[in-house]
Amino acid sequence: MLARNLRAAPAARQCLRQLSRPTFAQQQFQCKGYATAEGDKVAKFKGQKGSDGKYTVTLIEGDGIGPEIAQSVKDIYSAANVPIKWEPVDVTPTLKDGKTVIPDEAIDSVTRNYVALKGPLATPVGKGHVSLNLTLRRTFNLFANVRPCKSIAGYKTPYDNVNTVLIRENTEGEYSGIEHVVVDGVVQSIKLITREASERVLRFAFQYAQDVGKPKVRVVHKATIMKMSDGLFLNLARDIAKEYPNVEFDAEMLDNTCLKMVTDPIPYNDKVLVMPNLYGDILSDLCAGLIGGLGLTPSGNIGDECSIFEAVHGSAPDIAGKGLANPTALLLSSIMMLQHMGLTQNASSIEQAIFKTLAEGKALTGDLGGKAKTHEYADAIISNLKA
Ligand SMILES: NC(=O)c1ccc[n+]([C@@H]2O[C@H](COP(=O)([O-])OP(=O)(O)OC[C@H]3O[C@@H](n4cnc5c(N)ncnc54)[C@H](O)[C@@H]3O)[C@@H](O)[C@H]2O)c1
Protein backbone atom coordinates (compact mmCIF):
# COMPACT_ATOMS: atom_id res chain seq x y z
CA MET A 1 0.00 0.00 0.00
CA LEU A 2 2.80 2.36 0.93
CA ALA A 3 4.65 1.70 -2.31
CA ARG A 4 1.45 2.03 -4.36
CA ASN A 5 0.74 5.43 -2.87
CA LEU A 6 4.23 6.73 -3.26
CA ARG A 7 4.17 9.71 -5.60
CA ALA A 8 7.40 11.38 -4.62
CA ALA A 9 10.28 12.11 -7.00
CA PRO A 10 12.63 9.17 -7.73
CA ALA A 11 15.37 10.55 -5.48
CA ALA A 12 12.84 11.03 -2.69
CA ARG A 13 11.71 7.43 -3.15
CA GLN A 14 15.33 6.31 -2.93
CA CYS A 15 15.69 8.33 0.27
CA LEU A 16 12.54 6.79 1.70
CA ARG A 17 13.85 3.30 0.99
CA GLN A 18 17.01 4.19 2.89
CA LEU A 19 15.07 5.82 5.70
CA SER A 20 12.91 2.76 6.28
CA ARG A 21 15.98 0.72 7.26
CA PRO A 22 16.82 0.41 10.97
CA THR A 23 19.51 3.10 11.13
CA PHE A 24 16.91 5.81 10.55
CA ALA A 25 18.64 8.85 11.97
CA GLN A 26 22.05 8.10 10.49
CA GLN A 27 20.69 7.24 7.07
CA GLN A 28 18.66 10.45 6.92
CA PHE A 29 21.79 12.47 6.50
CA GLN A 30 23.31 10.12 3.92
CA CYS A 31 20.78 10.78 1.16
CA LYS A 32 22.61 12.13 -1.85
CA GLY A 33 22.91 15.90 -1.78
CA TYR A 34 21.82 18.20 -4.57
CA ALA A 35 25.14 19.20 -6.01
CA THR A 36 25.39 22.71 -7.36
CA ALA A 37 28.78 23.91 -8.49
CA GLU A 38 29.80 27.17 -6.89
CA GLY A 39 28.45 30.11 -8.89
CA ASP A 40 25.92 27.94 -10.75
CA LYS A 41 22.40 29.35 -10.70
CA VAL A 42 19.60 27.07 -9.61
CA ALA A 43 16.79 26.92 -12.20
CA LYS A 44 18.50 29.21 -14.69
CA PHE A 45 16.37 29.92 -17.80
CA LYS A 46 17.89 28.01 -20.71
CA GLY A 47 15.71 29.27 -23.60
CA GLN A 48 17.21 30.90 -26.68
CA LYS A 49 15.70 33.40 -29.10
CA GLY A 50 14.66 31.98 -32.48
CA SER A 51 15.84 33.33 -35.85
CA ASP A 52 12.97 35.86 -35.65
CA GLY A 53 14.53 37.34 -32.49
CA LYS A 54 11.72 35.98 -30.29
CA TYR A 55 11.45 33.43 -27.50
CA THR A 56 8.70 30.86 -27.81
CA VAL A 57 6.57 30.50 -24.67
CA THR A 58 4.06 27.71 -24.07
CA LEU A 59 0.60 29.11 -23.30
CA ILE A 60 -1.91 27.04 -21.34
CA GLU A 61 -4.99 29.27 -21.49
CA GLY A 62 -6.90 27.08 -19.04
CA ASP A 63 -10.59 26.75 -18.22
CA GLY A 64 -13.41 29.18 -17.37
CA ILE A 65 -12.08 32.75 -17.47
CA GLY A 66 -8.66 31.45 -18.63
CA PRO A 67 -9.05 32.29 -22.35
CA GLU A 68 -10.39 35.80 -21.55
CA ILE A 69 -7.54 36.77 -19.24
CA ALA A 70 -4.99 35.11 -21.56
CA GLN A 71 -6.31 37.31 -24.40
CA SER A 72 -5.58 40.43 -22.31
CA VAL A 73 -1.99 39.23 -21.76
CA LYS A 74 -1.57 38.57 -25.49
CA ASP A 75 -2.99 42.01 -26.43
CA ILE A 76 -0.79 43.88 -23.92
CA TYR A 77 2.35 41.93 -24.92
CA SER A 78 1.72 42.64 -28.56
CA ALA A 79 1.26 46.38 -27.84
CA ALA A 80 4.45 46.39 -25.74
CA ASN A 81 6.44 44.59 -28.47
CA VAL A 82 7.63 41.88 -26.08
CA PRO A 83 9.91 39.53 -28.04
CA ILE A 84 7.73 36.48 -27.38
CA LYS A 85 5.83 34.08 -29.62
CA TRP A 86 3.05 32.14 -27.88
CA GLU A 87 2.65 28.40 -28.42
CA PRO A 88 -0.86 27.48 -27.18
CA VAL A 89 -1.28 23.89 -25.93
CA ASP A 90 -4.20 21.82 -24.74
CA VAL A 91 -3.72 20.07 -21.40
CA THR A 92 -7.01 18.16 -21.34
CA PRO A 93 -5.89 15.06 -19.42
CA THR A 94 -5.84 11.51 -20.72
CA LEU A 95 -5.61 8.27 -18.80
CA LYS A 96 -2.47 6.15 -19.31
CA ASP A 97 -2.18 2.89 -17.32
CA GLY A 98 -4.86 4.19 -14.95
CA LYS A 99 -2.97 7.43 -14.26
CA THR A 100 -3.94 10.99 -15.24
CA VAL A 101 -1.37 12.28 -17.70
CA ILE A 102 -0.91 15.46 -19.70
CA PRO A 103 -0.90 15.06 -23.51
CA ASP A 104 2.59 14.46 -24.94
CA GLU A 105 2.32 17.56 -27.20
CA ALA A 106 1.90 19.79 -24.14
CA ILE A 107 4.83 18.15 -22.31
CA ASP A 108 7.01 18.43 -25.42
CA SER A 109 6.13 22.12 -25.80
CA VAL A 110 7.04 23.06 -22.21
CA THR A 111 10.19 20.92 -22.36
CA ARG A 112 11.26 22.55 -25.63
CA ASN A 113 10.51 26.14 -24.55
CA TYR A 114 11.66 25.83 -20.88
CA VAL A 115 8.87 28.18 -19.83
CA ALA A 116 5.06 28.36 -19.79
CA LEU A 117 2.31 30.76 -18.76
CA LYS A 118 -0.74 29.01 -17.39
CA GLY A 119 -4.34 30.08 -16.80
CA PRO A 120 -6.52 28.39 -14.16
CA LEU A 121 -7.46 24.73 -14.57
CA ALA A 122 -10.69 23.40 -13.07
CA THR A 123 -10.46 20.33 -10.87
CA PRO A 124 -13.54 18.10 -10.54
CA VAL A 125 -14.57 17.64 -6.89
CA GLY A 126 -14.80 14.09 -5.56
CA LYS A 127 -14.66 12.43 -9.00
CA GLY A 128 -12.86 12.54 -12.35
CA HIS A 129 -9.19 13.27 -12.93
CA VAL A 130 -6.69 14.30 -10.26
CA SER A 131 -5.65 17.96 -10.02
CA LEU A 132 -3.91 18.93 -13.26
CA ASN A 133 -2.09 21.65 -11.36
CA LEU A 134 -0.49 18.98 -9.17
CA THR A 135 0.14 16.78 -12.21
CA LEU A 136 1.99 19.64 -13.94
CA ARG A 137 4.14 20.28 -10.84
CA ARG A 138 5.03 16.60 -10.62
CA THR A 139 5.55 16.10 -14.36
CA PHE A 140 8.07 18.94 -14.55
CA ASN A 141 9.43 18.64 -11.00
CA LEU A 142 8.64 22.29 -10.24
CA PHE A 143 10.31 22.35 -6.85
CA ALA A 144 9.78 25.95 -5.72
CA ASN A 145 6.56 27.92 -5.62
CA VAL A 146 7.35 31.64 -5.49
CA ARG A 147 4.64 33.99 -4.25
CA PRO A 148 5.54 37.70 -4.05
CA CYS A 149 3.20 39.56 -1.71
CA LYS A 150 3.27 43.23 -2.67
CA SER A 151 0.73 45.98 -2.04
CA ILE A 152 -0.56 47.67 -5.16
CA ALA A 153 -0.29 51.44 -4.93
CA GLY A 154 -3.69 53.10 -5.20
CA TYR A 155 -5.65 49.94 -4.37
CA LYS A 156 -6.67 50.22 -0.70
CA THR A 157 -6.27 47.07 1.39
CA PRO A 158 -6.08 46.42 5.16
CA TYR A 159 -2.29 46.98 5.10
CA ASP A 160 -0.19 49.44 3.06
CA ASN A 161 3.31 48.99 1.64
CA VAL A 162 3.56 45.23 2.11
CA ASN A 163 6.40 43.80 0.03
CA THR A 164 7.62 40.35 1.00
CA VAL A 165 8.22 37.06 -0.83
CA LEU A 166 7.27 33.52 0.14
CA ILE A 167 8.98 30.48 -1.32
CA ARG A 168 7.32 27.14 -0.72
CA GLU A 169 8.87 23.72 -1.27
CA ASN A 170 6.55 22.32 -3.93
CA THR A 171 7.25 18.60 -4.30
CA GLU A 172 7.20 16.79 -0.97
CA GLY A 173 6.60 17.42 2.75
CA GLU A 174 3.01 16.86 3.79
CA TYR A 175 1.95 16.71 0.10
CA SER A 176 4.02 13.63 -0.78
CA GLY A 177 0.81 11.63 -1.16
CA ILE A 178 2.12 8.77 0.98
CA GLU A 179 -0.85 7.64 3.03
CA HIS A 180 -1.96 4.21 4.14
CA VAL A 181 -4.27 2.42 6.51
CA VAL A 182 -2.33 0.92 9.43
CA VAL A 183 -5.33 -0.97 10.84
CA ASP A 184 -9.02 -0.26 10.45
CA GLY A 185 -9.68 3.23 11.86
CA VAL A 186 -6.02 4.25 11.90
CA VAL A 187 -4.38 5.98 8.95
CA GLN A 188 -0.87 7.24 8.56
CA SER A 189 0.27 10.11 6.34
CA ILE A 190 4.00 10.51 5.85
CA LYS A 191 5.65 13.91 5.72
CA LEU A 192 8.66 13.28 3.53
CA ILE A 193 11.53 15.73 3.78
CA THR A 194 14.66 14.95 1.79
CA ARG A 195 18.04 16.60 1.79
CA GLU A 196 17.91 16.77 -2.02
CA ALA A 197 14.64 18.69 -2.33
CA SER A 198 15.32 20.87 0.73
CA GLU A 199 18.79 21.93 -0.44
CA ARG A 200 17.41 22.74 -3.85
CA VAL A 201 14.63 25.04 -2.62
CA LEU A 202 16.83 26.62 0.06
CA ARG A 203 19.60 27.42 -2.39
CA PHE A 204 16.99 28.85 -4.75
CA ALA A 205 15.66 31.06 -1.93
CA PHE A 206 19.09 32.54 -1.20
CA GLN A 207 19.71 33.07 -4.90
CA TYR A 208 16.27 34.67 -5.32
CA ALA A 209 16.92 37.03 -2.38
CA GLN A 210 20.15 38.16 -4.05
CA ASP A 211 18.46 38.55 -7.44
CA VAL A 212 15.63 40.73 -6.13
CA GLY A 213 17.79 42.67 -3.64
CA LYS A 214 16.28 41.34 -0.39
CA PRO A 215 18.99 41.29 2.31
CA LYS A 216 17.53 38.49 4.46
CA VAL A 217 16.30 34.91 4.16
CA ARG A 218 14.15 33.47 6.93
CA VAL A 219 13.21 29.81 7.30
CA VAL A 220 9.71 29.24 8.68
CA HIS A 221 9.45 25.90 10.52
CA LYS A 222 8.17 23.81 13.43
CA ALA A 223 11.42 22.03 14.26
CA THR A 224 10.51 22.12 17.94
CA ILE A 225 7.81 19.54 17.23
CA MET A 226 9.00 17.88 14.01
CA LYS A 227 12.56 17.65 15.18
CA MET A 228 13.80 15.31 12.45
CA SER A 229 11.91 16.51 9.35
CA ASP A 230 11.80 20.27 9.95
CA GLY A 231 15.08 19.84 11.82
CA LEU A 232 16.73 18.57 8.63
CA PHE A 233 15.27 21.49 6.63
CA LEU A 234 16.46 24.02 9.23
CA ASN A 235 19.95 22.54 9.63
CA LEU A 236 20.45 22.46 5.87
CA ALA A 237 19.38 26.12 5.72
CA ARG A 238 22.03 27.01 8.31
CA ASP A 239 24.68 25.21 6.22
CA ILE A 240 23.60 26.74 2.92
CA ALA A 241 23.48 30.23 4.47
CA LYS A 242 27.30 30.01 4.78
CA GLU A 243 27.51 29.95 0.96
CA TYR A 244 25.74 33.32 0.84
CA PRO A 245 27.66 35.60 3.22
CA ASN A 246 25.92 38.69 1.83
CA VAL A 247 22.46 37.44 2.79
CA GLU A 248 21.46 37.45 6.47
CA PHE A 249 19.82 34.29 7.68
CA ASP A 250 17.49 33.50 10.56
CA ALA A 251 14.56 31.24 11.41
CA GLU A 252 11.11 31.63 12.93
CA MET A 253 8.39 29.29 14.13
CA LEU A 254 5.34 29.14 11.85
CA ASP A 255 2.80 30.11 14.52
CA ASN A 256 4.91 33.09 15.50
CA THR A 257 5.19 34.16 11.84
CA CYS A 258 1.39 34.02 11.38
CA LEU A 259 0.77 36.16 14.44
CA LYS A 260 3.41 38.72 13.55
CA MET A 261 2.41 38.93 9.88
CA VAL A 262 -1.21 39.80 10.58
CA THR A 263 -0.18 42.19 13.36
CA ASP A 264 2.36 44.10 11.27
CA PRO A 265 3.67 42.70 7.97
CA ILE A 266 6.12 45.56 7.30
CA PRO A 267 9.10 43.99 9.18
CA TYR A 268 8.92 41.18 6.59
CA ASN A 269 9.61 43.55 3.68
CA ASP A 270 13.37 42.97 3.74
CA LYS A 271 12.95 39.18 3.77
CA VAL A 272 12.42 36.16 1.56
CA LEU A 273 10.61 33.50 3.60
CA VAL A 274 11.26 29.86 2.69
CA MET A 275 9.43 26.86 4.13
CA PRO A 276 8.20 23.28 3.68
CA ASN A 277 5.16 22.61 1.48
CA LEU A 278 2.08 22.82 3.75
CA TYR A 279 3.29 25.86 5.70
CA GLY A 280 3.89 27.66 2.39
CA ASP A 281 0.46 26.75 1.08
CA ILE A 282 -1.30 28.27 4.09
CA LEU A 283 0.99 31.22 4.76
CA SER A 284 0.99 32.37 1.12
CA ASP A 285 -2.82 32.60 1.09
CA LEU A 286 -2.73 34.44 4.42
CA CYS A 287 -0.32 36.90 2.79
CA ALA A 288 -2.55 37.27 -0.29
CA GLY A 289 -5.28 38.37 2.13
CA LEU A 290 -3.03 41.18 3.41
CA ILE A 291 -2.84 42.79 -0.04
CA GLY A 292 -6.33 42.40 -1.50
CA GLY A 293 -6.87 38.71 -2.14
CA LEU A 294 -6.10 36.12 -4.77
CA GLY A 295 -7.27 38.23 -7.74
CA LEU A 296 -4.08 40.30 -7.58
CA THR A 297 -1.64 37.54 -6.62
CA PRO A 298 0.91 36.14 -9.07
CA SER A 299 3.05 33.05 -8.70
CA GLY A 300 5.82 31.06 -10.33
CA ASN A 301 6.47 27.33 -10.14
CA ILE A 302 10.18 26.95 -10.65
CA GLY A 303 11.99 23.83 -11.83
CA ASP A 304 15.52 23.04 -12.92
CA GLU A 305 14.55 22.38 -16.51
CA CYS A 306 11.47 24.54 -16.95
CA SER A 307 9.18 26.87 -15.01
CA ILE A 308 5.46 27.56 -15.15
CA PHE A 309 3.98 30.90 -14.12
CA GLU A 310 0.33 31.15 -13.09
CA ALA A 311 -2.26 33.24 -11.28
CA VAL A 312 -3.26 31.63 -8.00
CA HIS A 313 -7.02 32.13 -8.45
CA GLY A 314 -9.26 29.48 -10.02
CA SER A 315 -11.30 29.31 -13.24
CA ALA A 316 -14.17 31.47 -11.79
CA PRO A 317 -16.97 29.53 -13.55
CA ASP A 318 -19.56 32.00 -12.16
CA ILE A 319 -18.26 34.83 -14.38
CA ALA A 320 -16.70 32.89 -17.27
CA GLY A 321 -17.55 34.15 -20.77
CA LYS A 322 -19.06 37.42 -19.49
CA GLY A 323 -16.03 39.68 -19.97
CA LEU A 324 -15.94 40.44 -16.23
CA ALA A 325 -12.67 38.71 -15.27
CA ASN A 326 -9.74 40.63 -13.88
CA PRO A 327 -6.54 39.63 -15.72
CA THR A 328 -4.14 41.33 -13.23
CA ALA A 329 -2.96 38.17 -11.45
CA LEU A 330 -2.13 36.41 -14.73
CA LEU A 331 -0.46 39.57 -16.03
CA LEU A 332 1.66 39.93 -12.88
CA SER A 333 2.56 36.22 -13.16
CA SER A 334 3.67 36.87 -16.74
CA ILE A 335 5.86 39.70 -15.42
CA MET A 336 7.56 37.26 -13.05
CA MET A 337 8.06 35.08 -16.14
CA LEU A 338 9.69 37.94 -18.08
CA GLN A 339 12.01 38.61 -15.13
CA HIS A 340 12.91 34.90 -15.02
CA MET A 341 13.69 35.06 -18.76
CA GLY A 342 15.88 38.14 -18.31
CA LEU A 343 13.44 40.44 -20.18
CA THR A 344 13.53 42.91 -17.31
CA GLN A 345 12.87 46.08 -19.31
CA ASN A 346 9.69 44.68 -20.84
CA ALA A 347 8.68 43.45 -17.38
CA SER A 348 9.15 46.83 -15.78
CA SER A 349 7.33 48.86 -18.48
CA ILE A 350 4.25 46.58 -18.39
CA GLU A 351 4.29 46.49 -14.57
CA GLN A 352 4.35 50.29 -14.39
CA ALA A 353 1.42 50.51 -16.84
CA ILE A 354 -0.61 48.05 -14.72
CA PHE A 355 0.10 49.94 -11.48
CA LYS A 356 -0.74 53.26 -13.14
CA THR A 357 -4.06 51.88 -14.43
CA LEU A 358 -4.96 50.49 -11.00
CA ALA A 359 -3.99 53.72 -9.25
CA GLU A 360 -6.04 55.83 -11.72
CA GLY A 361 -9.04 53.64 -10.85
CA LYS A 362 -10.94 54.66 -14.01
CA ALA A 363 -11.08 51.27 -15.75
CA LEU A 364 -11.23 48.70 -12.97
CA THR A 365 -13.04 45.35 -13.23
CA GLY A 366 -15.99 44.50 -10.96
CA ASP A 367 -13.97 42.57 -8.36
CA LEU A 368 -11.98 45.78 -7.71
CA GLY A 369 -15.12 47.89 -7.44
CA GLY A 370 -15.17 49.15 -11.03
CA LYS A 371 -17.43 48.64 -14.04
CA ALA A 372 -14.92 47.95 -16.81
CA LYS A 373 -14.97 44.83 -18.96
CA THR A 374 -11.81 42.71 -19.15
CA HIS A 375 -10.83 44.18 -22.54
CA GLU A 376 -11.48 47.77 -21.40
CA TYR A 377 -9.08 47.30 -18.48
CA ALA A 378 -6.51 45.78 -20.87
CA ASP A 379 -6.99 48.73 -23.27
CA ALA A 380 -6.35 51.17 -20.40
CA ILE A 381 -3.08 49.37 -19.62
CA ILE A 382 -2.12 49.59 -23.30
CA SER A 383 -2.81 53.35 -23.27
CA ASN A 384 -0.62 53.71 -20.19
CA LEU A 385 2.17 51.75 -21.89
CA LYS A 386 2.28 54.42 -24.51
CA ALA A 387 1.87 57.33 -22.09
N1 LIG B 1 -4.25 27.25 -10.06
C1 LIG B 1 -5.41 26.84 -10.55
O1 LIG B 1 -5.53 26.47 -11.70
C2 LIG B 1 -6.62 26.83 -9.63
C3 LIG B 1 -6.58 27.46 -8.39
C4 LIG B 1 -7.74 27.47 -7.59
C5 LIG B 1 -8.88 26.82 -8.05
N2 LIG B 1 -8.87 26.19 -9.26
C6 LIG B 1 -10.10 25.56 -9.81
O2 LIG B 1 -10.98 26.60 -10.26
C7 LIG B 1 -12.34 26.17 -10.13
C8 LIG B 1 -13.16 27.21 -9.41
O3 LIG B 1 -12.66 27.36 -8.09
P1 LIG B 1 -13.25 28.34 -7.00
O4 LIG B 1 -14.60 28.80 -7.45
O5 LIG B 1 -13.09 27.70 -5.69
O6 LIG B 1 -12.24 29.57 -6.95
P2 LIG B 1 -12.08 30.78 -7.99
O7 LIG B 1 -10.78 31.45 -7.67
O8 LIG B 1 -12.25 30.31 -9.38
O9 LIG B 1 -13.30 31.79 -7.67
C9 LIG B 1 -13.55 32.33 -6.37
C10 LIG B 1 -14.29 33.68 -6.53
O10 LIG B 1 -13.36 34.65 -7.00
C11 LIG B 1 -13.80 35.21 -8.24
N3 LIG B 1 -12.61 35.35 -9.12
C12 LIG B 1 -11.57 34.48 -9.24
N4 LIG B 1 -10.68 34.92 -10.11
C13 LIG B 1 -11.16 36.11 -10.57
C14 LIG B 1 -10.67 37.05 -11.52
N5 LIG B 1 -9.52 36.88 -12.17
N6 LIG B 1 -11.42 38.15 -11.77
C15 LIG B 1 -12.58 38.36 -11.12
N7 LIG B 1 -13.09 37.50 -10.19
C16 LIG B 1 -12.38 36.38 -9.94
C17 LIG B 1 -14.80 34.23 -8.83
O11 LIG B 1 -15.72 34.86 -9.67
C18 LIG B 1 -15.42 33.64 -7.55
O12 LIG B 1 -16.45 34.47 -7.12
C19 LIG B 1 -12.28 24.81 -9.40
O13 LIG B 1 -12.41 23.79 -10.38
C20 LIG B 1 -10.91 24.79 -8.78
O14 LIG B 1 -10.41 23.48 -8.64
C21 LIG B 1 -7.79 26.20 -10.06
Side-chain angles (χ1 to χ4, degrees), residues 318-344:
D318 52 333
I319 57 164
K322 297 180 182 163
L324 300 175
N326 180 358
T328 308
L330 188 65
L331 265 169
L332 292 176
S333 307
S334 78
I335 284 168
M336 288 177 72
M337 179 188 83
L338 292 181
Q339 284 157 346
H340 173 73
M341 296 170 73
L343 296 171
T344 47

Short mmCIF file of all heavy atoms in Angstrom, two decimals, residues 318-344:
data_model
loop_
_atom_site.label_atom_id
_atom_site.label_comp_id
_atom_site.label_asym_id
_atom_site.label_seq_id
_atom_site.Cartn_x
_atom_site.Cartn_y
_atom_site.Cartn_z
N ASP A 318 -18.39 31.12 -12.32
CA ASP A 318 -19.56 32.00 -12.16
C ASP A 318 -19.52 33.22 -13.08
O ASP A 318 -20.56 33.79 -13.39
CB ASP A 318 -19.71 32.43 -10.68
CG ASP A 318 -18.43 33.02 -10.10
OD1 ASP A 318 -17.32 32.67 -10.57
OD2 ASP A 318 -18.52 33.84 -9.16
N ILE A 319 -18.33 33.63 -13.52
CA ILE A 319 -18.26 34.83 -14.38
C ILE A 319 -17.65 34.52 -15.75
O ILE A 319 -17.45 35.44 -16.55
CB ILE A 319 -17.47 35.98 -13.69
CG1 ILE A 319 -16.05 35.53 -13.33
CG2 ILE A 319 -18.21 36.52 -12.48
CD1 ILE A 319 -15.12 36.71 -13.00
N ALA A 320 -17.37 33.25 -16.01
CA ALA A 320 -16.70 32.89 -17.27
C ALA A 320 -17.54 33.28 -18.48
O ALA A 320 -18.76 33.16 -18.48
CB ALA A 320 -16.42 31.39 -17.29
N GLY A 321 -16.89 33.81 -19.50
CA GLY A 321 -17.55 34.15 -20.77
C GLY A 321 -18.32 35.46 -20.73
O GLY A 321 -18.94 35.85 -21.71
N LYS A 322 -18.27 36.18 -19.61
CA LYS A 322 -19.06 37.42 -19.49
C LYS A 322 -18.20 38.69 -19.64
O LYS A 322 -18.71 39.80 -19.50
CB LYS A 322 -19.76 37.45 -18.12
CG LYS A 322 -20.77 36.32 -17.95
CD LYS A 322 -21.44 36.38 -16.58
CE LYS A 322 -22.42 35.23 -16.41
NZ LYS A 322 -22.80 35.00 -15.03
N GLY A 323 -16.91 38.51 -19.83
CA GLY A 323 -16.03 39.68 -19.97
C GLY A 323 -15.85 40.44 -18.67
O GLY A 323 -15.54 41.62 -18.66
N LEU A 324 -16.03 39.76 -17.53
CA LEU A 324 -15.94 40.44 -16.23
C LEU A 324 -14.62 40.14 -15.50
O LEU A 324 -14.31 40.75 -14.48
CB LEU A 324 -17.09 39.98 -15.32
CG LEU A 324 -18.52 40.25 -15.82
CD1 LEU A 324 -19.55 39.63 -14.87
CD2 LEU A 324 -18.75 41.76 -15.93
N ALA A 325 -13.85 39.19 -16.02
CA ALA A 325 -12.67 38.71 -15.27
C ALA A 325 -11.57 39.77 -15.19
O ALA A 325 -11.37 40.55 -16.12
CB ALA A 325 -12.14 37.46 -15.94
N ASN A 326 -10.88 39.74 -14.09
CA ASN A 326 -9.74 40.63 -13.88
C ASN A 326 -8.45 39.88 -14.27
O ASN A 326 -8.11 38.87 -13.66
CB ASN A 326 -9.69 41.00 -12.38
CG ASN A 326 -8.54 41.92 -12.06
OD1 ASN A 326 -7.74 42.26 -12.93
ND2 ASN A 326 -8.45 42.32 -10.80
N PRO A 327 -7.74 40.36 -15.28
CA PRO A 327 -6.54 39.63 -15.72
C PRO A 327 -5.27 39.97 -14.95
O PRO A 327 -4.18 39.50 -15.30
CB PRO A 327 -6.41 40.08 -17.18
CG PRO A 327 -6.97 41.46 -17.21
CD PRO A 327 -8.01 41.54 -16.13
N THR A 328 -5.36 40.81 -13.88
CA THR A 328 -4.14 41.33 -13.23
C THR A 328 -3.23 40.22 -12.71
O THR A 328 -2.02 40.27 -12.90
CB THR A 328 -4.51 42.27 -12.05
OG1 THR A 328 -5.40 43.26 -12.54
CG2 THR A 328 -3.28 42.95 -11.48
N ALA A 329 -3.81 39.20 -12.06
CA ALA A 329 -2.96 38.17 -11.45
C ALA A 329 -2.18 37.41 -12.53
O ALA A 329 -0.99 37.12 -12.36
CB ALA A 329 -3.80 37.20 -10.62
N LEU A 330 -2.84 37.11 -13.65
CA LEU A 330 -2.13 36.41 -14.73
C LEU A 330 -1.07 37.32 -15.35
O LEU A 330 0.04 36.89 -15.65
CB LEU A 330 -3.12 35.91 -15.80
CG LEU A 330 -2.50 35.01 -16.87
CD1 LEU A 330 -2.00 33.70 -16.27
CD2 LEU A 330 -3.48 34.70 -17.99
N LEU A 331 -1.42 38.60 -15.48
CA LEU A 331 -0.46 39.57 -16.03
C LEU A 331 0.78 39.69 -15.12
O LEU A 331 1.91 39.69 -15.59
CB LEU A 331 -1.11 40.94 -16.11
CG LEU A 331 -1.73 41.34 -17.44
CD1 LEU A 331 -2.55 42.60 -17.26
CD2 LEU A 331 -0.66 41.53 -18.50
N LEU A 332 0.53 39.80 -13.80
CA LEU A 332 1.66 39.93 -12.88
C LEU A 332 2.49 38.63 -12.86
O LEU A 332 3.71 38.67 -12.71
CB LEU A 332 1.18 40.27 -11.46
CG LEU A 332 0.56 41.68 -11.30
CD1 LEU A 332 0.02 41.88 -9.88
CD2 LEU A 332 1.56 42.79 -11.62
N SER A 333 1.82 37.48 -13.06
CA SER A 333 2.56 36.22 -13.16
C SER A 333 3.43 36.25 -14.41
O SER A 333 4.58 35.78 -14.40
CB SER A 333 1.61 35.02 -13.25
OG SER A 333 0.69 35.04 -12.19
N SER A 334 2.89 36.81 -15.50
CA SER A 334 3.67 36.87 -16.74
C SER A 334 4.87 37.81 -16.56
O SER A 334 5.91 37.62 -17.19
CB SER A 334 2.79 37.31 -17.91
OG SER A 334 2.57 38.71 -17.88
N ILE A 335 4.73 38.79 -15.67
CA ILE A 335 5.86 39.70 -15.42
C ILE A 335 6.96 38.97 -14.66
O ILE A 335 8.15 39.13 -14.95
CB ILE A 335 5.36 40.96 -14.70
CG1 ILE A 335 4.67 41.80 -15.76
CG2 ILE A 335 6.49 41.74 -14.04
CD1 ILE A 335 3.89 42.92 -15.29
N MET A 336 6.55 38.11 -13.71
CA MET A 336 7.56 37.26 -13.05
C MET A 336 8.27 36.40 -14.10
O MET A 336 9.47 36.14 -14.02
CB MET A 336 6.88 36.33 -12.03
CG MET A 336 6.39 37.02 -10.78
SD MET A 336 5.53 35.84 -9.71
CE MET A 336 6.89 34.86 -9.08
N MET A 337 7.48 35.92 -15.08
CA MET A 337 8.06 35.08 -16.14
C MET A 337 9.09 35.88 -16.96
O MET A 337 10.19 35.38 -17.23
CB MET A 337 6.93 34.58 -17.05
CG MET A 337 7.39 33.73 -18.19
SD MET A 337 6.02 33.37 -19.33
CE MET A 337 6.01 34.85 -20.32
N LEU A 338 8.75 37.12 -17.30
CA LEU A 338 9.69 37.94 -18.08
C LEU A 338 10.97 38.17 -17.28
O LEU A 338 12.08 38.14 -17.83
CB LEU A 338 9.05 39.29 -18.43
CG LEU A 338 7.89 39.27 -19.42
CD1 LEU A 338 7.38 40.69 -19.67
CD2 LEU A 338 8.29 38.62 -20.74
N GLN A 339 10.82 38.41 -15.96
CA GLN A 339 12.01 38.61 -15.13
C GLN A 339 12.87 37.34 -15.12
O GLN A 339 14.10 37.40 -15.24
CB GLN A 339 11.61 39.00 -13.70
CG GLN A 339 11.15 40.46 -13.63
CD GLN A 339 10.25 40.76 -12.44
OE1 GLN A 339 9.75 39.85 -11.79
NE2 GLN A 339 10.02 42.04 -12.19
N HIS A 340 12.20 36.18 -15.01
CA HIS A 340 12.91 34.90 -15.02
C HIS A 340 13.67 34.72 -16.34
O HIS A 340 14.77 34.17 -16.37
CB HIS A 340 11.88 33.78 -14.83
CG HIS A 340 12.42 32.40 -14.97
ND1 HIS A 340 13.23 31.81 -14.02
CD2 HIS A 340 12.26 31.47 -15.95
CE1 HIS A 340 13.54 30.59 -14.41
NE2 HIS A 340 12.97 30.36 -15.58
N MET A 341 13.07 35.22 -17.44
CA MET A 341 13.69 35.06 -18.76
C MET A 341 14.74 36.13 -19.05
O MET A 341 15.36 36.13 -20.11
CB MET A 341 12.60 35.13 -19.85
CG MET A 341 11.59 34.01 -19.78
SD MET A 341 10.19 34.31 -20.89
CE MET A 341 10.93 34.00 -22.48
N GLY A 342 14.90 37.07 -18.12
CA GLY A 342 15.88 38.14 -18.31
C GLY A 342 15.33 39.31 -19.12
O GLY A 342 16.08 40.22 -19.48
N LEU A 343 14.03 39.33 -19.42
CA LEU A 343 13.44 40.44 -20.18
C LEU A 343 12.96 41.51 -19.20
O LEU A 343 11.76 41.82 -19.10
CB LEU A 343 12.29 39.92 -21.05
CG LEU A 343 12.69 38.92 -22.15
CD1 LEU A 343 11.47 38.29 -22.81
CD2 LEU A 343 13.54 39.62 -23.21
N THR A 344 13.90 42.06 -18.44
CA THR A 344 13.53 42.91 -17.31
C THR A 344 12.94 44.26 -17.74
O THR A 344 12.08 44.80 -17.05
CB THR A 344 14.75 43.14 -16.39
OG1 THR A 344 15.84 43.49 -17.22
CG2 THR A 344 15.10 41.91 -15.61
#
